[in-house]
Amino acid sequence: MKTAEEIFKILKDKFGDAVIELKTGVPVESYMTVDPLKIDEVCLFLRDEPELKFDNCMNLSGVDDANGKKEAQPDGTSNIVGGTLSVVYHLESVYLKHKLTLKVSTPRDNPQVKSVAEIWRSADWNEREAYDLFGINFINHPDLRRILMPYDWEAGYPLRKDYKNPEFYQGMKVPY
Amino acid sequence: MSFETNKSIEYKPVVKTEHMVLNMGPQHPSTHGVLRLELELEGEIITRVIPHIGYLHRCFEKHAEAMTYPQVVPYTDRMDYLASMGNEFGYAVAVERLLGIQVPERVEYIRVIMAELQRIASHLVALGTYGADIGAMTPFLFCFRDREMILSLFEMTCGARLLYNYIWVGGLSHDLHPDFVRKTRDFCTYFKPKIKELNDLLTYNKIFIERTANVGVLPLDTAINFGISGPMLRGSGLKWDLRKDDPYSVYHKFDFNIPVGEGKVGTVGDCWDRYWVRVLEMEESLKIIEQALDQLPEGDVTSAIPKRIKPPIGQVYARVENPRGELGYFIMSDGNVNPFRVKVRAPSFVNLGVMDVLCRGHMVADIIAILGSVDIVLGEVDR
């Protein structure tokens, strides 16, 4: 069983700049920020290193940080330009019983994160959900397509903070 | 934007001449809701299963962002609608952890009693419909008769039979009815022999064993890698229960066992094991309820409910053991009265992801047995 500080030190020694910082003092859980294009290497190491052995990805959530610039639109709504989208990973080791939270942030205009679906298969559907609802592109995902929304949904990504309901879906008025 | 059905390398099917694609659902009695399974068949052997979900998608997470913290509670009811008490419990635990508040002891005890009653009710549906799915109609009626008594207990407590809005952040909406303790004890006494009845009727039935033993075997390492939790994980032989392994509320005060699958009539991790774990869990839940009723302290159940819920900037991931597995709430707060982000880690959603692995190489008829043993609730899969 290891604390977040010990794990951070191990990762920092191994990966250097790819592991950015450990944020402590945030209520209620501390988390580690990682480079979105190195997350797969970090995760593979976390899973296979005998003293870490994070064999379970409990949860993977997309987050819209909404930290960009708000641009008002003529119809009274606003768009968010710039800023970041994030993915939060909650890992745990069933055998060693420790937990870890990772976070990656990626630019909102071109969100690219390396997929961990081949490392933990539980991340497969969760990444598809993050792609579906936030439009985060998971590089190397085996089967990246929409999961909860219809396959032909073209009105954007619903959980983004500046999402607007479309007027029509497949010729049908929304809300009907 | 176009979405190809399959652009994977790993999943690419081997095209053969007798290859057949069959749609099971979205309206099929044994998919327990609107789930579509795209089956790829080689004769009667399944080569691949692709679940298509989202027919019940209501975007709970988007709704939650537009509401204050207490207003989210009724919406959590509607996710896993067979275990609403468990959903509220998880949400309350998460927000309380974010706020850093303690709730009175009596509240915790009542929550545990409700959650365990709900677990029995939920397992009764799971077991009853499982029997009905593969041809045994009588146990279904027996299970629903007993579940009805639990629903009456809930109705007595909060006025609703399925969607309760009972467990609030920091407390409960009502105290118990004066008759509740007596009636719950009566139910426990009544229900114990009924488990034996269910075993005689269904569990050791030869036809039932033929249909479920050695079918849909889930090895333990696969289960962990797929993030499987709850009775499915325990059916594969791992003693893992959040009530013991990551204790929340007052579960550390009770004495109960964690049943695991042992391959009693087949292989460890087959459909029968998953079924059997649920039967044993009902007995353990009864034990917890009886202990909680014995120790139930006095107190005010509404005293700790905050007038205004405005958590500090931060995030929390709290999880509870729901009847279907690990129900997790990831809540981010930006210091406002409504949550910045609520992500639900729904156990059914994650458990359904393993369908393809379970079904490959089995017959079409086995899909019904396997899907029933996964025990999904589509309201929670699609949220």
Side-chain angles (χ1 to χ4, degrees):
Chain A
M1 192 153 169
K2 292 209 176 301
T3 60
E5 284 81 12
E6 287 167 338
I7 297 168
F8 180 69
K9 197 170 173 302
I10 295 172
L11 290 180
K12 197 78 190 165
D13 290 345
K14 172 91 180 157
F15 291 100
D17 289 345
V19 183
I20 301 162
E21 63 168 330
L22 176 67
K23 279 229 169 88
T24 51
V26 196
V28 167
E29 57 181 26
S30 50
Y31 58 88
M32 223 177 268
T33 45
V34 181
D35 184 348
L37 298 178
K38 292 274 167 55
I39 183 75
D40 55 339
E41 291 168 31
V42 174
C43 284
L44 190 64
F45 176 77
L46 284 171
R47 189 193 69 176
D48 289 343
E49 181 69 16
E51 55 174 350
L52 298 174
K53 228 171 166 176
F54 282 99
D55 44 19
N56 183 9
C57 178
M58 293 184 281
N59 189 17
L60 187 152
S61 359
V63 177
D64 183 357
D65 297 319
N67 50 4
K69 208 167 66 206
K70 277 202 177 130
E71 271 183 10
Q73 298 292 306
D75 57 351
T77 57
S78 59
N79 283 347
I80 299 176
V81 179
T84 53
L85 297 174
S86 296
V87 181
V88 183
Y89 304 79
H90 289 91
L91 313 178
E92 91 172 317
S93 170
V94 170
Y95 293 104
L96 302 174
K97 303 212 169 171
H98 49 211
K99 292 190 242 175
L100 180 67
T101 309
L102 299 178
K103 187 173 182 178
V104 302
S105 291
T106 175
R108 191 192 183 86
D109 320 324
N110 184 21
Q112 305 276 353
V113 180
K114 280 277 177 78
S115 166
V116 297
E118 303 280 351
I119 300 169
W120 298 289
R121 294 305 306 279
S122 57
D124 184 341
W125 279 24
N126 278 318
E127 284 184 350
R128 276 177 66 189
E129 191 185 318
Y131 164 73
D132 188 1
L133 304 179
F134 289 96
I136 298 168
N137 184 23
F138 289 92
I139 303 166
N140 296 339
H141 189 283
D143 190 20
L144 197 64
R145 59 195 158 91
R146 287 201 182 256
I147 184 165
L148 292 176
M149 302 297 287
Y151 293 125
D152 53 2
W153 191 256
E154 284 170 352
Y157 304 105
L159 273 187
R160 287 199 183 186
K161 294 280 183 189
D162 57 353
Y163 171 78
K164 288 178 224 30
N165 267 330
E167 217 169 312
F168 289 95
Y169 165 63
Q170 299 292 313
M172 291 176 280
K173 185 108 172 62
V174 183
Y176 53 88
Chain B
M1 199 176 299
S2 70
F3 297 93
E4 294 169 40
T5 321
N6 171 38
K7 53 183 175 181
S8 78
I9 302 159
E10 196 203 2
Y11 290 144
K12 193 166 269 178
V14 183
V15 180
K16 285 182 186 159
T17 43
E18 298 116 59
H19 196 79
M20 183 168 136
V21 177
L22 188 71
N23 263 315
M24 182 176 155
Q27 303 291 342
H28 188 281
S30 67
T31 54
H32 296 240
V34 272
L35 164 72
R36 180 159 70 93
L37 296 172
E38 191 182 327
L39 313 176
E40 288 181 11
L41 306 171
E42 204 68 56
E44 216 184 327
I45 310 281
I46 300 152
T47 53
R48 193 160 86 124
V49 176
I50 310 167
H52 293 271
I53 61 174
Y55 293 93
L56 273 181
H57 183 50
R58 293 145 293 172
C59 230
F60 160 76
E61 293 166 7
K62 189 80 176 173
H63 275 298
E65 287 172 14
M67 283 176 294
T68 61
Y69 285 89
Q71 284 175 335
V72 177
V73 174
Y75 284 79
T76 62
D77 279 341
R78 284 150 180 82
M79 289 191 303
D80 184 349
Y81 44 77
L82 294 178
S84 301
M85 285 287 184
N87 299 345
E88 296 170 357
F89 196 178
Y91 180 74
V93 166
V95 180
E96 281 156 17
R97 226 172 262 179
L98 195 57
L99 287 165
I101 56 173
Q102 287 286 326
V103 295
E105 189 113 285
R106 183 177 172 83
V107 174
E108 296 282 25
Y109 273 84
I110 295 175
R111 283 180 182 181
V112 167
I113 293 170
M114 292 302 167
E116 296 307 318
L117 281 174
Q118 184 75 85
R119 191 182 313 277
I120 297 175
S122 170
H123 281 347
L124 279 174
V125 177
L127 303 175
T129 53
Y130 191 35
D133 279 351
I134 51 185
M137 197 62 205
T138 318
F140 172 80
L141 300 171
F142 280 37
C143 287
F144 269 69
R145 177 197 62 195
D146 298 341
R147 173 174 177 260
E148 206 59 28
M149 305 182 79
I150 299 179
L151 297 189
S152 302
L153 289 174
F154 288 148
E155 189 181 12
M156 189 167 82
T157 312
C158 60
R161 296 171 71 78
L162 289 169
L163 306 163
Y164 311 107
N165 191 10
Y166 180 60
I167 298 177
W168 287 356
V169 177
L172 305 167
S173 70
H174 304 72
D175 204 345
L176 294 178
H177 189 275
D179 274 351
F180 180 85
V181 174
R182 183 179 56 80
K183 287 202 170 167
T184 312
R185 276 189 210 281
D186 288 351
F187 169 75
C188 292
T189 324
Y190 160 86
F191 187 62
K192 264 178 210 157
K194 300 295 170 196
I195 298 178
K196 189 182 172 297
E197 195 180 75
L198 179 70
N199 287 341
D200 293 343
L201 249 177
L202 183 63
T203 313
Y204 297 118
N205 182 308
K206 189 167 188 311
I207 304 167
F208 181 72
I209 291 178
E210 294 278 318
R211 285 293 308 272
T212 54
N214 294 321
V215 171
V217 177
L218 179 62
L220 183 55
D221 50 345
T222 315
I224 293 173
N225 197 255
F226 270 88
I228 304 299
S229 52
M232 272 190 89
L233 182 60
R234 292 191 279 278
S236 292
L238 183 68
K239 237 185 167 72
W240 178 262
D241 190 316
L242 298 176
R243 291 174 289 175
K244 287 242 193 226
D245 288 292
D246 190 4
Y248 55 96
S249 195
V250 285
Y251 276 109
H252 58 277
K253 293 189 178 167
F254 304 121
D255 176 36
F256 61 100
N257 303 322
I258 305 172
V260 292
E262 289 158 347
K264 212 170 167 186
V265 296
T267 323
V268 177
D270 59 8
C271 288
W272 194 86
D273 266 358
R274 291 194 278 276
Y275 166 90
W276 181 232
V277 165
R278 291 193 179 99
V279 175
L280 294 178
E281 269 183 19
M282 294 201 298
E283 289 176 9
E284 300 304 321
S285 291
L286 280 180
K287 272 192 214 167
I288 298 175
I289 293 168
E290 285 183 331
Q291 290 173 48
L293 288 174
D294 288 340
Q295 303 169 14
L296 188 65
E298 291 299 317
D300 185 0
V301 297
T302 50
S303 61
I305 297 176
K307 290 273 178 303
R308 187 151 181 263
I309 298 179
K310 207 174 171 185
I313 297 171
Q315 59 182 45
V316 67
Y317 179 72
R319 49 190 190 156
V320 295
E321 184 76 29
N322 228 25
R324 278 161 198 80
E326 172 185 335
L327 175 73
Y329 285 90
F330 173 58
I331 301 180
M332 277 178 92
S333 159
D334 59 350
N336 260 325
V337 289
N338 32 13
F340 183 73
R341 168 90 171 107
V342 180
K343 153 91 189 182
V344 182
R345 186 248 193 238
S348 303
F349 177 79
V350 182
N351 289 356
L352 188 61
V354 81
M355 266 306 275
D356 184 37
V357 177
L358 288 181
C359 290
R360 278 189 196 199
H362 282 295
M363 299 288 188
V364 175
D366 291 334
I367 289 191
I368 314 293
I370 292 170
L371 188 65
S373 77
V374 175
D375 184 24
I376 50 164
V377 166
L378 266 301
E380 183 181 56
V381 173
D382 297 336
R383 298 188 299 286

